[in-house]
Amino acid sequence: MNRIQKIFSEDKKLLSIYFTAGYPAINDTVPILQELEKNGVDMVEIGLPFSDPLADGPTIQASSTQALKNGMTTRLLFEQLKDIRETVSIPLILMAYFNPVLQYGVEEFCAKCKETGIDGLILPDLPLAEYKEHYKAIFEEYGLVNIFLITPQTSESRIRQIDKASNGFIYMVSSASTTGARQGFGEVQRSYFERIAAMQLKNPQIVGFGISNAETFLAATKDANGAIIGSAFIKMLSEKGIDGIENFIHSLR
Amino acid sequence: MKYNVNEKGYYGEFGGAYIPEMLFPNIEELRLNYLKIMREASFQKEFKQLLKAYVGRPTPLYFAKRFSEKYNTKVYLKREDLCHTGAHKVNNTIGQILMAKRLNKTRIIAETGAGQHGVATATVCALMGLECIVYMGEIDIERQAPNVARMKMLGAKVVPATSGSKTLKDATNEAIRDWINNPTNTHYIIGSVVGPHPYPDMVARFQSVISKEIKQQLAEKEGREHPDYVVACVGGGSNAAGAYYEYLNIPEVGIIAVEAAGKGIHSGESAATSALGRMGIIHGSKTLLMQTADGQITEPYSISAGLDYPGVGPMHAHLYTSGRGEFISVTDDDAMRAGLELSKLEGIIPAIETSHALAIFKSRKFKEDDLVVVNLSGRGDKDLNTYIDYFNL
C-alpha cells in the first residue's frame, strides 16, 4: 500500500498543503516540508514551478515566477528531495504542468519519483484519455498514484470514468476557477459537495480551491475526506516565511 | 500521407487537447458540435453572406507585375489585406461568432498580439451585440496603440496581460484563465490555428476560404487550379493554414512557411520556432515550441507583434517535421526592406507580418515560369509607427 492509500484508511479529515518548490528562497523546499510535518499536516503537494501555469491565479503564478528566478529546475528539485524520506514520512505529491515532465521524460520522471519517495502526481493538463492510452502503465510500474481533478461542471459519467482510473483520491476543485480566485463557499459548492458524497465513489475526495482558514476547511471537509490549502499558504509564506508555518497550521483545525 | 487533422485531434504526432479538467466541458462541447454546426445549411448560408457582404470577399488574386519582373518569376498576391478590418483574421471571427451563437454563448473572450485578431473579434461582437473582452500583452498595448483604440471604439474591453513577457503568449494564458473562471456563458475565440483540438482544425476550416478562392481565381486567370508554390508567414499560422488548406494533400503544390528570425536565428532574440523549438505543450496543444532544456517556455522576439509567439500550430509542426513544408526564416531587417519594396513596386503597404513572406524572394530563387502565390495576409496601417521609426520617414 502506497503512503497515500494508507493515510486515507485512517479515520480523520486530512489537511493537505500546497507550496511551490524554490519559493520564497531556493533552498526552502526541505525546511518547509519538515516544518509542515512537525505541525501535523497530513499530506503535501510540492509544486514544480512552470513558466505558464494556466490553471493558477496570481498568487501561485507569482510564486512560480519567483521560484524560476531563484533557479529552480526539475533536476534541482529531485536533488533537494533525495534524502527527504530520512526526515519526512507523510505522503508527498508532486504537482507539475505536463511540459516539464515531458521534457524530462515521463518514464525517467516517474522512476526518479519512486527513487525519491514521491507517492503521487497531479498533472493538471494531462487529460484522462492521454493518461490511459500512454502513461497509466508507467505510473503503475513505479507505484505512483495519479490524481485527477473534477469540478462542479464535470458530468456524472466523466466522474465515474475518473473514479475508475484513479487509485488514490480525487481532487475536487470547489468552483470553476483558477487557484486563489475565490474565498469561501456558497450554495453551489454545498450542493456540489453533497452530490459527490452521494455518488459513493470508490476513491476518497479532497477539496481544493477556495480554502484559506478554519471555517472553510471545516465546510470543505463536512462531506469530503480532506482539503488542500495552496494560495493562502503561499500568501502567508510571502509575508512571514517559514517561521509563520506553525501558527498558520494551528489556526486551521 | 494526409495532412489534415485525424479523428483523435492530431496532425501526425502533434495536436491533442492538453487542458486542465476545468476546461474539459467547454472543449468537449465544441469538439462534439463544431463539424455538425459548420455543415448546417443555415450556418453556411449566414457565413457566406457575411463573408461576401460584410468582409468584402472574394478578395482579389492580383498579379504583381513589377514585383514578378524584379524577381524573374510569376507572383500573385492574395489580397487578404483588403478584408474588412485589414487582415484575414476576420474570416475566422465571423465563423466563430456564428458558432458561439449556436452554442448559446453570450460572452466572448479573445487574445491578441498585433491587435488584428482583437479588432476582428471586437468587430463581430459589435455586429452581433455580444459582450467582448480582449486580452492583450501590456507591451503590445503600447506598440499597437491604434488597434487598442479601435477595439475600444467597437465596444470591447481591453484587459492588459501583465505576466511573463507581456505579449501574445501571456495574453493567451490570461484568456484561458478567464475561460476557466467563466465556464458556462463564455466562448473563447482563439485567433490562430493553435490551442487544444478542435481549435486548430476549426480555425483552419474557417480560413480555408482563402485557398478555395485561390483555386477558383487561378483557374480563371491561368487555366490551372494549382500554383507551383504557396507562400505565407507563420506565427501561430492561421493565414498560412488558410492559404495551404486546399493544397495540403496535393504534393505538386509546394508549401513555403516563413517564420520570424527576429535579430537572427541564433541571436537569442528570435521567433523562428521550427529552427529553435522542440516538441512540447503550449496552450493545450502538443507542438513545436521554443523552450529551455527544463521545459520552461522561452520568450520569443520579433519586430512584428503577430509573429511574436514561441510555438506554431500543430498542423505546421507536422508540415515541418514531415518535410511537406519548406520552412524559411526572415530577419526583422529583411522583412522591413521587403515591406518598403512592395510599397514602391506595387503600391501596397503590407503588414510587417506579411513582409516576412515577401522577403524570401531575395534568396529563395524560383524558376521563370513558376507560379507563386503569396498570401498578403494584412495591410500595414497598424505598423506605420514601426515603419516610420525604422526608416526615419
Side-chain angles (χ1 to χ4, degrees):
Chain A
M1 198 188 268
N2 174 305
R3 287 183 200 88
I4 294 174
Q5 293 150 344
K6 200 158 162 233
I7 200 160
F8 279 101
S9 65
E10 298 171 18
D11 184 26
K12 66 191 273 201
K13 300 294 187 183
L14 304 180
L15 169 62
S16 186
I17 294 288
Y18 167 93
F19 74 99
T20 306
Y23 180 85
I26 187 78
N27 289 319
D28 285 345
T29 315
V30 172
I32 289 173
L33 286 170
Q34 289 167 340
E35 190 69 9
L36 288 172
E37 173 160 303
K38 198 177 100 191
N39 286 290
V41 166
D42 300 298
M43 185 161 72
V44 181
E45 282 124 47
I46 307 165
L48 180 66
F50 183 49
S51 55
D52 295 77
L54 289 181
D56 286 303
T59 304
I60 294 180
Q61 279 177 49
S63 70
S64 297
T65 305
Q66 186 57 45
L68 291 173
K69 269 191 198 143
N70 292 345
M72 184 47 75
T73 66
T74 313
R75 273 172 186 78
L76 179 60
L77 179 58
F78 282 130
E79 179 61 29
Q80 289 179 343
L81 294 177
K82 76 175 170 10
D83 299 322
I84 196 68
R85 285 308 179 194
E86 290 173 14
T87 55
V88 172
S89 59
I90 53 175
L92 296 179
I93 294 165
L94 280 191
M95 183 153 182
Y97 286 86
F98 191 45
N99 196 48
V101 178
L102 196 63
Q103 302 310 319
Y104 195 91
V106 177
E107 175 137 24
E108 291 78 357
F109 191 90
C110 290
K112 200 72 187 169
C113 283
K114 184 181 179 185
E115 188 188 316
T116 310
I118 298 295
D119 306 290
L121 294 174
I122 303 175
L123 306 172
D125 56 346
L126 174 62
L128 178 64
E130 295 292 333
Y131 169 72
K132 286 203 287 198
E133 191 174 336
H134 300 292
Y135 304 113
K136 189 167 186 275
I138 301 174
F139 278 49
E140 283 171 359
E141 189 187 334
Y142 293 97
L144 292 169
V145 162
N146 189 33
I147 294 136
F148 291 102
L149 275 53
I150 62 171
T151 81
Q153 276 72 39
T154 310
S155 69
E156 180 165 340
S157 67
R158 189 162 169 87
I159 293 173
R160 296 276 176 212
Q161 286 173 35
I162 285 170
D163 191 36
K164 207 172 151 199
S166 301
N167 57 349
F169 65 90
I170 290 174
Y171 189 140
M172 282 174 66
V173 175
S174 66
S175 60
S177 69
T178 44
T179 53
R182 276 160 222 215
Q183 295 232 329
F185 304 121
E187 196 42 52
V188 176
Q189 278 71 39
R190 279 190 287 275
S191 72
Y192 164 57
F193 296 161
E194 283 165 18
R195 175 165 65 87
I196 301 303
M199 283 181 76
Q200 301 284 327
L201 301 174
K202 80 174 166 75
N203 288 277
Q205 304 103 47
I206 297 247
V207 178
F209 292 38
I211 300 139
S212 56
N213 53 26
E215 187 197 344
T216 41
F217 181 79
L218 196 68
T221 53
K222 185 172 167 284
D223 294 302
N225 307 73
I228 303 171
I229 299 180
S231 296
F233 181 72
I234 293 193
K235 261 186 207 139
M236 186 286 297
L237 272 184
S238 312
E239 288 159 15
K240 300 186 178 140
I242 296 177
D243 292 343
I245 292 179
E246 185 175 353
N247 276 342
F248 182 82
I249 299 302
H250 289 281
S251 73
L252 294 171
R253 57 171 184 186
Chain B
M1 192 187 271
K2 291 274 276 182
Y3 295 93
N4 303 85
V5 77
N6 69 20
E7 67 288 348
K8 286 187 167 172
Y10 280 83
Y11 299 84
E13 54 188 339
F14 301 104
Y18 294 82
I19 46 163
E21 189 63 29
M22 293 80 111
L23 287 179
F24 182 82
N26 279 329
I27 295 291
E28 187 67 356
E29 178 184 40
L30 201 56
R31 188 181 71 84
L32 293 172
N33 289 297
Y34 82 109
L35 289 176
K36 204 168 64 190
I37 291 174
M38 284 174 78
R39 286 188 189 117
E40 284 168 8
S42 68
F43 181 94
Q44 279 302 323
K45 192 176 163 205
E46 207 178 344
F47 183 52
K48 283 177 181 158
Q49 268 174 357
L50 283 170
L51 287 184
K52 185 174 179 211
Y54 189 71
V55 175
R57 304 204 70 93
T59 58
L61 183 70
Y62 163 73
F63 176 61
K65 185 161 172 288
R66 299 210 324 132
F67 191 87
S68 297
E69 277 166 8
K70 162 126 202 204
Y71 291 107
N72 203 27
T73 187
K74 215 165 172 183
V75 179
Y76 277 89
L77 303 175
K78 179 60 174 164
R79 299 291 310 275
E80 292 301 296
D81 60 317
L82 295 177
C83 288
H84 177 43
T85 72
H88 70 288
K89 292 288 186 189
V90 72
N91 302 327
N92 169 50
T93 60
I94 292 271
Q96 284 205 49
I97 202 84
L98 297 177
M99 183 72 63
K101 279 184 72 175
R102 279 161 175 80
L103 294 170
N104 297 315
K105 306 292 179 180
T106 54
R107 182 176 174 274
I108 300 295
I109 56 172
E111 84 297 336
T112 197
Q116 288 304 111
H117 175 59
V119 168
T121 303
T123 298
V124 297
C125 287
L127 182 69
M128 298 294 169
L130 293 179
E131 184 187 359
C132 180
I133 296 109
V134 180
Y135 290 89
M136 187 169 188
E138 208 170 38
I139 289 181
D140 291 334
I141 287 180
E142 282 165 31
R143 62 179 169 178
Q144 304 286 343
N147 272 344
V148 176
R150 290 162 84 194
M151 286 184 267
K152 287 182 180 163
M153 281 188 75
L154 292 161
K157 186 176 161 202
V158 181
V159 181
T162 56
S163 59
S165 58
K166 305 181 176 66
T167 60
L168 178 57
K169 163 178 90 81
D170 311 285
T172 309
N173 289 341
E174 289 306 326
I176 292 173
R177 289 185 185 118
D178 178 307
W179 211 16
I180 288 174
N181 283 289
N182 295 282
T184 51
N185 65 344
T186 299
H187 176 72
Y188 177 19
I189 301 191
I190 296 185
S192 192
V193 287
V194 302
H197 177 68
Y199 275 103
D201 185 48
M202 180 171 70
V203 176
R205 285 171 188 264
F206 286 139
Q207 291 293 359
S208 69
V209 64
I210 299 171
S211 49
K212 288 190 178 87
E213 288 177 8
I214 293 173
K215 269 172 84 174
Q216 202 179 346
Q217 290 165 323
L218 264 190
E220 286 161 16
K221 290 173 201 297
E222 296 282 339
R224 54 190 276 201
E225 289 188 337
H226 301 162
D228 295 298
Y229 297 94
V230 185
V231 181
C233 62
V234 174
S238 70
N239 93 80
Y244 304 156
Y245 197 86
E246 291 290 316
Y247 303 119
L248 286 172
N249 302 311
I250 298 169
E252 57 268 32
V253 179
I255 283 175
I256 300 181
V258 187
E259 292 182 302
K263 294 181 179 168
I265 288 183
H266 300 295
S267 66
E269 292 184 84
S270 176
T273 305
S274 66
L276 297 168
R278 26 171 236 289
M279 186 192 270
I281 289 163
I282 182 169
H283 300 140
S285 179
K286 191 185 265 184
T287 187
L288 290 173
L289 168 63
M290 290 167 54
Q291 55 185 315
T292 65
D294 210 36
Q296 308 295 341
I297 299 172
T298 51
E299 312 294 358
Y301 163 80
S302 165
I303 195 168
S304 117
L307 302 181
D308 201 352
Y309 186 69
V312 66
M315 172 201 279
H316 300 300
H318 185 225
L319 290 175
Y320 175 72
T321 53
S322 65
R324 172 71 182 95
E326 178 183 346
F327 280 63
I328 299 174
S329 62
V330 162
T331 62
D332 289 354
D333 290 337
D334 288 342
M336 294 303 283
R337 281 194 286 267
L340 188 61
E341 181 180 82
L342 188 80
S343 307
K344 298 216 150 113
L345 285 176
E346 298 290 348
I348 298 169
I349 301 174
I352 299 173
E353 289 79 7
T354 315
S355 299
H356 285 73
L358 296 161
I360 66 163
F361 289 87
K362 276 225 157 29
S363 50
R364 171 67 167 87
K365 296 297 168 200
F366 295 93
K367 293 198 290 268
E368 197 176 339
D369 60 349
D370 274 344
L371 215 166
V372 184
V373 175
V374 178
N375 195 32
L376 202 84
S377 54
R379 62 177 175 240
D381 306 33
K382 71 180 174 66
D383 296 316
L384 213 53
N385 276 333
T386 312
Y387 280 125
I388 289 169
D389 290 347
Y390 190 88
F391 292 111
N392 289 316
L393 298 171

